[in-house]
Amino acid sequence: MPSQADEEAHQLSYLQKHMANLIALLADSAEGLDDESLVITMERFEHLGFLIQFEKGCDVIPLRQAAPFFSNSDSDMPAAPVSAAQVHDWISQIINDSLEHNAEKAMAKENGPSSALDVDVTMADATPCHFRNQTSNSKTGISMQSYPGNSRTQTFVEGISKASLVKQPCDIKGHSVKILNCHDSVIYLLAPMKYAIVNGCSDATLVLGAIGKDVRVEHCERVQLIAAAKRICIANCRECIFYLGVNQRPLFLGDNHKLQVAPFNTYYPQLEEHLAYAGVDAAINKWDEPVVLGMVDPHDSLSHPAGVSDVQAESAAYLDPEQFTNFWIPNWFGDLPSHLTRCNPFPLPEIYMASQRNKVLLLADIQKALRDLQIDEDRRRELASALHTHFKDWLYGNVSLFSTLAHICKILL
């Protein structure tokens, strides 16, 4: 598998090769001039935000503010279009600087031991209009750089089958994680990271703590993913459910089928601390604003009947509130932070909150009915056995009710 640095270099090279065509797609002919004189409006220019992002500290800078030709635009007056060639030259310079910077870092790493200050620098960090203090403090007063998980290595979770796996910050190497080919398992990665890649997983439940840059999910089937992240991109997945706390609109690409999205639905004691480290804002959640780009392959007979062309890629449906439930994460570790996360930090929409309240009331009624049930000891044991028979399926569908079920079983036994 390529390293994160190799992947970033590949992405930058891709942009470098195709940026002229991308800009041409966004440009218009200048009025009164020949067709070769192309200009770009500020509104069209901001579409490049799908590919390029600038950051200052933990804050995302709007693309127009990063560009010198739009940075001083008056909000009350539309900005004048600028030359497409000028836009292309500016972005090309940024890409070139970033590629050179990454190459210098790679050479320095080969020629000597890496420094404690050798941290991930993205394209945004290498630009003249982006001044980032690499040792600046986070909202909690502790720098992201100083977190023990920050280094040049990566964490791999690969080939887990019919098992559960838990990793906390001390188990995470580097600033990124790759979850590859895991099946019929439950995986908890309860740590702040910059990048996460999920590829080729099926029939699994994945919980990602706090991802400060990007989550990418590809070629997965029947996966339930719970993630708090700046942004997420999902491609070529089937029958998956995504419980998201995401600061930017989820991006869906490629050949997706029967996907569902829902609001973030869990917490663990260190979650708010990890969100602050990663720079994820729990007050902003755009889980319900999916963006769908591209067309499906008209030659793929598995996706749709032969002869059908120009089919828009499939979006994701909202999960029915009646199917929504909180996901309960056990507290395996005794070392708890001074400031505990005691509930889901991402506010729930009212319709999902109301559904949760109804479930709690219903469970209380069931619990009382079972407690007051007037049956002999043998029948009580039979009822407990019936509950245990379907325990696994029930647990996977309603993990947040685990403690209630355990309490019911104790009453019955």
Side-chain angles (χ1 to χ4, degrees), residues 23-323:
I23 291 176
L25 289 172
L26 298 173
D28 294 314
S29 299
E31 197 169 322
L33 299 177
D34 57 73
D35 290 341
E36 295 183 358
S37 299
L38 299 177
V39 295
I40 292 183
T41 64
M42 185 171 70
E43 181 182 11
R44 290 286 188 89
F45 173 74
E46 289 186 318
H47 290 316
L48 291 173
F50 282 117
L51 302 173
I52 302 170
Q53 178 172 291
F54 292 87
E55 296 179 356
K56 187 173 183 180
C58 293
D59 299 324
V60 176
I61 303 173
L63 194 57
R64 65 178 181 276
Q65 293 182 14
F69 32 81
F70 288 130
S71 59
N72 297 320
S73 300
D74 188 343
S75 58
D76 297 327
M77 182 178 297
V82 299
S83 164
Q86 182 181 359
V87 174
H88 182 256
D89 291 344
W90 177 70
I91 295 179
S92 296
Q93 185 60 51
I94 292 172
I95 294 174
N96 289 334
D97 290 346
S98 298
L99 286 169
E100 290 176 5
H101 183 79
N102 289 347
E104 290 173 0
K105 286 201 304 178
M107 185 176 298
K109 184 179 179 182
E110 291 176 1
N111 295 336
S114 59
S115 163
L117 297 179
D118 181 22
V119 296
D120 175 48
V121 179
T122 62
M123 181 172 72
D125 301 321
T127 64
C129 57
H130 176 88
F131 298 96
R132 180 176 181 179
N133 182 358
Q134 294 287 359
T135 59
S136 62
N137 288 345
S138 71
K139 296 175 183 177
T140 60
I142 305 174
S143 68
M144 183 72 177
Q145 176 189 320
S146 68
Y147 205 79
N150 260 338
S151 69
R152 296 293 299 177
T153 56
Q154 289 181 317
T155 295
F156 286 85
V157 177
E158 187 170 6
I160 305 298
S161 179
K162 297 183 178 179
S164 296
L165 176 70
V166 182
K167 286 185 178 291
Q168 54 181 330
C170 61
D171 303 315
I172 302 295
K173 298 178 180 179
H175 57 256
S176 64
V177 63
K178 291 186 176 181
I179 306 172
L180 309 171
N181 303 317
C182 295
H183 310 285
D184 196 19
S185 299
V186 182
I187 297 171
Y188 304 85
L189 301 181
L190 309 181
M193 294 164 283
K194 287 189 177 181
Y195 301 94
I197 295 174
V198 181
N199 193 302
C201 297
S202 66
D203 301 291
T205 298
L206 313 176
V207 183
L208 305 180
I211 311 300
K213 294 283 187 180
D214 180 67
V215 179
R216 192 168 78 220
V217 186
E218 298 178 327
H219 305 291
C220 291
E221 296 184 353
R222 299 175 301 281
V223 164
Q224 294 190 52
L225 177 76
I226 304 172
K230 279 274 188 77
R231 53 188 174 270
I232 186 169
C233 176
I234 297 158
N236 305 311
C237 294
R238 296 171 183 264
E239 301 178 40
C240 298
I241 304 176
F242 300 93
Y243 298 89
L244 302 177
V246 62
N247 293 167
Q248 296 188 24
R249 300 173 66 185
L251 182 60
F252 291 84
L253 303 174
D255 193 11
N256 296 304
H257 292 280
K258 297 182 180 179
L259 303 186
Q260 298 180 81
V261 290
F264 193 75
N265 68 334
T266 193
Y267 72 95
Y268 56 94
Q270 302 88 349
L271 179 56
E272 287 179 308
E273 179 184 345
H274 292 174
L275 292 175
Y277 275 126
V280 179
D281 188 351
I284 301 173
N285 192 358
K286 298 189 177 183
W287 69 273
D288 57 346
E289 302 178 34
V291 177
V292 182
L293 296 180
M295 302 286 183
V296 298
D297 184 358
H299 302 292
D300 183 1
S301 60
L302 296 177
S303 300
H304 50 270
V308 178
S309 60
D310 297 331
V311 177
Q312 176 69 41
E314 188 175 317
S315 184
Y318 299 152
L319 182 70
D320 185 342
E322 293 302 314
Q323 301 297 320

